[in-house]
Amino acid sequence: MPTKRLNGSEMLIEALRLEGIKVIFGYPGGAVLNVYDEIFKQNYFRHILTRHEQGAVHAADGYARASGEVGVAIITSGPGFTNAVTGIATAYTDSIPLVIISGQVPISQIGTDAFQEIDAVGISRPCTKHNFLVKNIQELPRILKEAFYIAKSGRPGPVLVDLPKDISATYGEFDYPQEVSLRTYKPTTKGNSRQIKKVVEALKIAKKPLFYIGGGAIISNASNIIQQLIEKTQIPALETLMARGIIPDNHPCLLGMVGMHGTYAANMAMYECDLLISLGARFDDRVTGKVSEFAKYAKIVHIDIDPSSIGKIIDVNFPIVGDLKNVCKDILHFIEESGGYDKNIIKEWRDLLTKYKTTHPLKYNDSSEILKPQWVISKIGEILKDKALVVTDVGQHQMWAAQFYPFNFPRQFITSGGLGTMGFGLPAGMGAKLAKENKIVINITGDGSILMNIQELMTCVEQKIPVINVILNNNYLGMVRQWQSFFYENRFSHTDLSLQPDFVKLTEAFGGKGYRIETKEEFEEALKDAIHSNIPCMLDVVIDRMEHVLPMVPGGAPLNKMILE
């Protein structure tokens, strides 16, 4: 590529073009004025002006989760950056590939407490995969190329490029690298063959094997190969919150979601198995429960591209570092090479788990007097099935969505898993809709969560992004209230949200369409109308205030000690 002489802002726009970026999310300010002037001049990508920097990063995050591509956000210095930190941390915890460009005061003013100066690199160090402070124009092309490479390679994550204002206006030679080679960063993608053969040997003699599928399966695009592995062996499988959709909902080997609000069958399988094969999961505390009791009868296989994750929480017998898709292919190959797999060896195990599924299915007591949130989720699934991407905020509604929506493909369920960020749903849904315009995007939220980033409804209206928001409205911070019910003797300290805005009028004030819903008939009619309206909508659904998410494993308890009723 011939060298061009460009200023820093022009270099950034050119790099985004060369990376194939189609949409970015951002909010301008003084430190990025030069960059925004170049955005005004270009026609390579669409810029979405959000109403808050947190919304911009969540939207880029939702775009990345839905598309599998790198999401991009641009923010200004100081409060612009600090507003974005929650979004960055959300993406970091869930390993989402983002490149965030933050403006910074001029180099000469750094460290002087200048107007809107903050140490973005220092603040973001614990919540980014990597970050850069650009110190001269010569290094900017290399830094931009490395930022995209680091964000999407290995275990993905957000990368921050902090760009001082003077450098955004300084001219230099633009020679964008074709490749990246970093001496200290070379992710291992091929698993160790000897170790994989040992796993196959263990798998062939295990009486109670179990696949434990995590969000890494989605990041690795390993859904198809995992399904082949399950078809070949008929070994039961369970999914974490972040892996919902990897296995189709009606697959006979799927036991459902595992963990604090997992199914009875999934949690009991985890407790009783004798060989646990972790496929891109990280053994987080919401899954393990009491660590000393976790899968205590099992030998454990941990496959992960991030070596720092292996053995971090749970001691493992078979550690394998590599890209999950590659490792699963090798497991299938070695099964075939060694004479296949005898499914009869696990018949009793499968029969036992089928009995668990039959005797303790997910259930709730429906009512003709008040809407149950589980019914609402199931009805959305019945009407939309695979036509929808489901985004959530965080709380009871998130768990009900994970439990009761019939997910059938990867990236159909988009939620903040690790950080648990309220306010994620609406902006992330906006990004998801832009990534998958042929899908209907449903944001399932609560009356607490929706108010945390409701300003992005204005962005949706302005940019004609028809996200349908379904508020499961119980006038409570429901999940906290549930813990207060179970563990604090019903002392509902500051979780009552009885005084809330009129969400119908609020939505109409933004230019969207609102519905107040109290019956099943009203809900079906409103959902169908919202789908056909093709504009941002808000369905304010009045639900049973005291409904609980069940099963529930109390914090720190073993997985077999579930509250079922």
Side-chain angles (χ1 to χ4, degrees):
M1 178 184 297
T3 298
K4 300 178 185 177
R5 188 163 179 79
L6 303 175
N7 66 36
S9 300
E10 292 169 334
M11 288 184 184
L12 173 59
I13 302 305
E14 185 65 2
L16 293 174
R17 183 184 73 82
L18 292 170
E19 293 293 338
I21 301 303
K22 302 179 184 69
V23 59
I24 66 174
F25 304 86
Y27 201 103
V32 285
L33 271 172
N34 297 324
V35 172
Y36 268 83
D37 193 46
E38 293 305 322
I39 289 175
F40 184 84
K41 298 173 187 173
Q42 64 81 38
N43 57 9
Y44 303 128
F45 53 78
R46 182 179 178 185
H47 177 276
I48 303 295
L49 171 63
T50 60
R51 294 303 190 268
H52 192 280
E53 290 86 352
Q54 184 183 348
V57 180
H58 285 327
D61 182 321
Y63 182 91
R65 294 185 199 232
S67 67
E69 300 172 2
V70 177
V72 178
I74 297 181
I75 51 179
T76 192
S77 62
F81 172 77
T82 56
N83 284 344
V85 170
T86 298
I88 296 170
T90 300
Y92 177 73
T93 312
D94 288 343
S95 305
I96 305 303
L98 299 184
V99 170
I100 301 107
I101 310 296
S102 58
Q104 184 54 278
V105 301
I107 289 279
S108 61
Q109 294 180 10
I110 291 177
T112 66
D113 296 332
F115 177 66
Q116 292 193 333
E117 183 198 357
I118 197 74
D119 180 6
V121 167
I123 290 173
S124 67
R125 188 165 290 125
C127 61
T128 52
K129 185 176 177 185
H130 196 67
N131 58 21
F132 298 92
L133 171 62
V134 184
K135 296 175 182 171
N136 60 66
I137 191 66
Q138 291 78 18
E139 65 182 7
L140 181 57
R142 173 187 60 78
I143 284 176
L144 291 171
K145 184 68 181 180
E146 289 180 2
F148 279 92
Y149 173 72
I150 293 170
K152 63 188 175 187
S153 60
R155 178 179 180 174
V159 177
L160 176 77
V161 178
D162 200 31
L163 181 62
K165 186 173 183 179
D166 54 334
I167 292 179
S168 71
T170 301
Y171 277 85
E173 300 301 319
F174 181 76
D175 183 9
Y176 201 58
Q178 297 295 306
E179 296 180 353
V180 172
S181 179
L182 300 170
R183 185 171 57 85
T184 57
Y185 176 70
K186 296 187 183 300
T188 300
T189 58
K190 179 72 175 170
N192 182 287
S193 296
R194 186 177 302 173
Q195 195 74 339
I196 295 172
K197 286 180 179 176
K198 288 181 181 177
V199 169
V200 172
E201 290 169 7
L203 193 141
K204 286 191 165 193
I205 60 174
K207 301 289 177 44
K208 297 180 178 180
L210 182 67
F211 288 126
Y212 160 38
I213 306 169
I218 288 177
I219 294 168
S220 174
N221 294 316
S223 176
N224 287 340
I225 192 70
I226 290 174
Q227 288 186 40
Q228 289 178 41
L229 193 53
I230 291 172
E231 293 298 332
K232 183 73 182 175
T233 61
Q234 295 297 299
I235 290 175
L238 48 80
E239 295 174 336
T240 66
L241 177 72
M242 300 306 295
R244 299 294 283 132
I246 285 287
I247 308 299
D249 180 67
N250 61 357
H251 196 290
C253 290
L254 180 64
L255 302 172
M257 184 172 73
V258 68
M260 182 170 282
H261 296 293
T263 66
Y264 180 85
N267 285 348
M268 291 305 295
M270 190 72 101
Y271 186 77
E272 296 182 3
C273 65
D274 66 358
L275 180 68
L276 181 64
I277 305 152
S278 170
L279 306 176
R282 63 183 179 90
F283 298 85
D284 78 278
D285 60 292
R286 291 295 172 111
V287 166
T288 62
K290 188 176 182 179
V291 171
S292 61
E293 294 287 309
F294 177 75
K296 63 181 183 180
Y297 308 112
K299 291 188 179 301
I300 295 179
V301 180
H302 192 172
I303 303 167
D304 203 299
I305 198 164
D306 179 6
S308 70
S309 283
I310 296 178
K312 182 176 180 180
I313 309 294
I314 300 289
D315 291 335
V316 301
N317 303 91
F318 304 97
I320 298 177
V321 178
D323 181 88
L324 184 59
K325 188 162 59 176
N326 294 337
V327 175
C328 287
K329 283 179 184 174
D330 288 345
I331 291 174
L332 264 175
H333 169 73
F334 288 130
I335 288 175
E336 292 288 353
E337 189 181 74
S338 59
Y341 180 79
D342 181 7
K343 299 169 188 169
N344 292 323
I345 196 171
I346 60 170
K347 183 177 183 308
E348 288 186 17
W349 175 232
R350 288 176 50 80
D351 289 345
L352 176 65
L353 297 180
T354 300
K355 181 181 174 184
Y356 287 159
K357 287 173 71 174
T358 305
T359 53
H360 294 287
L362 287 173
K363 62 182 180 182
Y364 63 97
N365 295 320
D366 203 2
S367 169
S368 58
E369 298 177 353
I370 183 75
L371 282 171
K372 295 288 185 171
Q374 302 93 331
W375 180 90
V376 174
I377 304 286
S378 299
K379 181 56 66 176
I380 297 171
E382 181 185 315
I383 292 174
L384 288 175
K385 301 182 178 68
D386 294 353
K387 295 177 184 173
L389 299 186
V390 176
V391 184
T392 77
D393 269 303
V394 169
Q396 287 182 308
H397 62 272
Q398 177 191 31
M399 294 298 127
W400 285 318
Q403 291 176 329
F404 286 92
Y405 196 93
F407 297 106
N408 279 324
F409 58 89
R411 303 187 188 279
Q412 189 181 14
F413 183 50
I414 293 172
T415 193
S416 169
L419 199 65
T421 304
M422 294 172 69
F424 172 82
L426 174 53
M430 191 165 65
K433 180 63 182 176
L434 289 171
K436 298 290 180 184
E437 293 184 351
N438 63 331
K439 294 291 185 185
I440 296 165
V441 172
I442 304 287
N443 173 34
I444 296 173
T445 181
D447 54 307
S449 283
I450 191 63
L451 287 175
M452 288 198 171
N453 267 319
I454 201 166
Q455 77 284 344
E456 299 310 332
L457 199 54
M458 196 68 252
T459 310
C460 289
V461 170
E462 181 191 52
Q463 298 287 338
K464 297 181 171 46
I465 307 171
V467 175
I468 298 174
N469 301 275
V470 178
I471 305 174
L472 298 180
N473 190 343
N474 56 10
N475 289 112
Y476 269 123
L477 293 172
M479 187 59 88
V480 185
R481 197 275 306 152
Q482 176 170 329
W483 280 63
Q484 290 171 335
S485 293
F486 285 154
F487 311 117
Y488 293 88
E489 300 174 330
N490 290 323
R491 292 188 295 277
F492 301 147
S493 178
H494 298 278
T495 47
D496 192 325
L497 300 178
S498 291
L499 185 59
Q500 287 284 56
D502 182 328
F503 286 107
V504 174
K505 289 181 180 175
L506 187 59
T507 303
E508 290 171 351
F510 279 114
K513 194 169 184 179
Y515 309 80
R516 176 77 170 177
I517 295 160
E518 298 184 7
T519 69
K520 291 179 178 178
E521 293 75 20
E522 288 174 352
F523 180 77
E524 287 198 53
E525 186 178 340
L527 179 60
K528 290 174 181 175
D529 187 69
I531 293 167
H532 289 110
S533 295
N534 202 34
I535 62 173
C537 292
M538 191 79 73
L539 280 63
D540 181 17
V541 185
V542 180
I543 63 166
D544 187 340
R545 294 197 77 192
M546 302 306 289
E547 191 70 14
H548 290 144
V549 181
L550 296 173
M552 180 176 185
V553 179
L559 286 180
N560 65 331
K561 301 296 183 185
M562 288 167 269
I563 300 171
L564 297 173
E565 303 285 349

